[in-house]
Amino acid sequence: MAAMLQSFGVATASVAFSDHSTKLSGFSVHSLPALREGLEEEMDRDPRVCVMGEDVGHYGGSYKVTRGLAQKYGDLRVLDTPIAENSFTGMAVGAAMTGLRPIVEGMNMGFLLLAFNQISDNCGMLHYTSGGQFTIPTVIRGPGGVGRQLGAEHSQRLESYFQSIPGIQMVACSTPYNAKGLMKAAIRSENPVVLFEHVLLYNLKERIPDEEYVLNLEEAEMVRPGEHVTILTYSRMRYHVMQAAKTLVNKGYDPEVIDIRSLKPFDLYTIGNSVKKTHRVVIVEECMRTGGIGASLTAAINENFHDYLDAPIICLSSQDVPTPYAGTLEEWTVVQPPQIVAAVEQLCQ
């Protein structure tokens, strides 16, 4: 994997990763303080880690992920910026080139479209275009996804926009446990990492270990082992899938559920082993159907595991429309559990 990433201009580094057998024996926290905890632990560990973005300082961030950090680390390590995403993202790239490890918070991931040039041409490519002279250990993170009536501009899923940029990695957290572990791993990575957080998952609560742990940025999570069909998902749709899985089990089906977590690169080892076992695949995403993560994942499975498939892959995605403000219409644009149940029933006939 390291050799493959290097061939695409991505730096590699040695990081110790936690095992999936880690017991959640610690205390219960929500996703939001889990992210803050991971960030704070890394800022304590490494004085090069700094945060920048709109209202990340004394206000504590738009969703309070950075609350209290400015008071602890000072205004230079937790830097409030003007409303100028292209400027402070470019500043983060320059800081990374000179040895710092910046974390850019997008107040909303949709706003980072204003910094697309900096993320693509600078963040993603400078390691390659400099002949390896520079690494860009930058984390770009923030809330996104379809919330509760946030309107079209604040309900965007930028995974599909960023996945084609050479040189960056993408991960999506879905639980407090993996939010903290992926945050820490992203900060320690020598590569630029885009960490997608979902606005509706900040209040999830889960027990996380007392001891330190760091997750693998390139590893999927087996959520539920099964035999009849592989369901691949990530972020908020993990919970729609698990809701559907309860119904499917009651109907006699045994679905295997995998949270892919790593959106780029895909963990084709875990995914492939599941496909070889179940021979059927349903992909469930909140991303848009055209050019989305599901489309790329469908192509990857067909290219690598076509001979193991007993039926065509079904990909359930959001509709290719701006997200409506009206709550009922908003729900209709996003995949719901009954659609997942119907897709599995169709595939397993």
Side-chain angles (χ1 to χ4, degrees):
M1 179 61 72
M4 183 183 74
L5 286 173
Q6 286 174 336
S7 71
F8 286 97
V10 180
T12 56
S14 176
V15 177
F17 300 114
S18 74
D19 191 288
H20 273 187
S21 63
T22 300
K23 295 182 179 179
L24 304 184
S25 59
F27 50 92
S28 295
V29 298
H30 293 96
S31 290
L32 191 152
L35 285 164
R36 185 191 308 126
E37 198 173 284
L39 177 55
E40 188 170 4
E41 287 179 9
E42 292 305 301
M43 293 186 77
D44 284 341
R45 187 186 69 88
D46 188 343
R48 297 173 298 169
V49 178
C50 56
V51 183
M52 57 187 71
E54 297 152 2
D55 286 334
V56 298
H58 294 275
Y59 184 71
S62 56
Y63 285 86
K64 303 303 180 186
V65 172
T66 57
R67 183 170 57 192
L69 298 186
Q71 289 80 2
K72 180 175 181 180
Y73 300 106
D75 293 341
L76 287 179
R77 289 190 70 191
V78 186
L79 182 64
D80 277 322
T81 66
I83 304 174
E85 283 79 8
N86 56 344
S87 299
F88 65 74
T89 304
M91 181 171 64
V93 174
M97 292 172 69
T98 59
L100 298 180
R101 306 185 79 85
I103 300 158
V104 173
E105 175 177 311
M107 184 177 284
N108 180 280
M109 289 299 271
F111 301 162
L112 291 177
L113 290 175
L114 295 165
F116 196 87
N117 178 62
Q118 286 70 29
I119 296 170
S120 175
D121 292 349
N122 303 148
C123 220
M125 297 187 188
L126 271 170
H127 179 68
Y128 176 79
T129 57
S130 70
Q133 294 181 75
F134 297 111
T135 56
I136 315 296
T138 305
V139 179
I140 298 168
R141 53 153 296 271
V146 178
R148 290 192 174 90
Q149 296 182 262
L150 297 179
E153 291 186 7
H154 290 76
S155 301
Q156 299 196 66
R157 286 78 78 197
L158 297 189
E159 306 96 293
S160 59
Y161 290 70
F162 292 143
Q163 68 172 326
S164 61
I165 299 174
I168 68 167
Q169 293 183 256
M170 303 195 311
V171 290
C173 57
S174 55
T175 69
Y177 175 76
N178 67 40
K180 178 181 178 180
L182 291 173
M183 170 72 87
K184 291 172 70 69
I187 293 171
R188 296 188 189 189
S189 175
E190 295 301 314
N191 303 314
V193 179
V194 182
L195 172 60
F196 291 95
E197 303 158 16
H198 200 289
V199 291
L200 293 184
L201 301 186
Y202 280 133
N203 289 323
L204 288 176
K205 197 170 185 179
E206 181 184 33
R207 297 184 72 83
I208 63 174
D210 294 323
E211 64 272 12
E212 183 183 36
Y213 66 95
V214 182
L215 296 181
N216 191 329
L217 289 175
E218 300 170 23
E219 189 174 73
E221 177 188 352
M222 179 66 67
V223 180
R224 183 191 188 278
E227 298 290 337
H228 293 161
V229 60
T230 298
I231 306 180
L232 304 173
T233 190
Y234 65 93
S235 191
R236 175 197 176 193
M237 286 296 108
R238 169 176 174 152
Y239 298 94
H240 284 212
V241 167
M242 291 308 293
Q243 188 175 335
K246 293 179 182 178
T247 303
L248 289 167
V249 169
N250 290 335
K251 292 187 173 202
Y253 298 99
D254 186 17
E256 180 152 290
V257 178
I258 296 175
D259 183 342
I260 64 172
R261 288 199 311 210
S262 177
L263 309 185
K264 184 185 177 182
F266 296 131
D267 178 4
L268 292 180
Y269 177 79
T270 301
I271 293 168
N273 284 340
S274 181
V275 173
K276 292 174 185 178
K277 178 173 63 172
T278 67
H279 308 292
R280 294 174 175 81
V281 178
V282 175
I283 300 169
V284 183
E285 63 176 344
E286 195 180 81
C287 198
M288 300 298 188
R289 182 169 186 79
T290 301
I293 296 296
S296 296
L297 191 52
T298 299
I301 294 171
N302 277 323
E303 287 173 4
N304 291 279
F305 310 109
H306 180 267
D307 290 347
Y308 296 95
L309 292 171
D310 288 344
I313 297 169
I314 293 179
C315 183
L316 302 177
S317 313
S318 292
Q319 296 183 35
D320 287 335
V321 297
T323 304
Y325 172 74
T328 303
L329 294 177
E330 181 185 70
E331 282 192 13
W332 285 349
T333 68
V334 177
V335 179
Q336 300 298 329
Q339 294 171 263
I340 303 169
V341 172
V344 170
E345 289 178 323
Q346 174 190 333
L347 202 60
C348 292
Q349 282 180 351

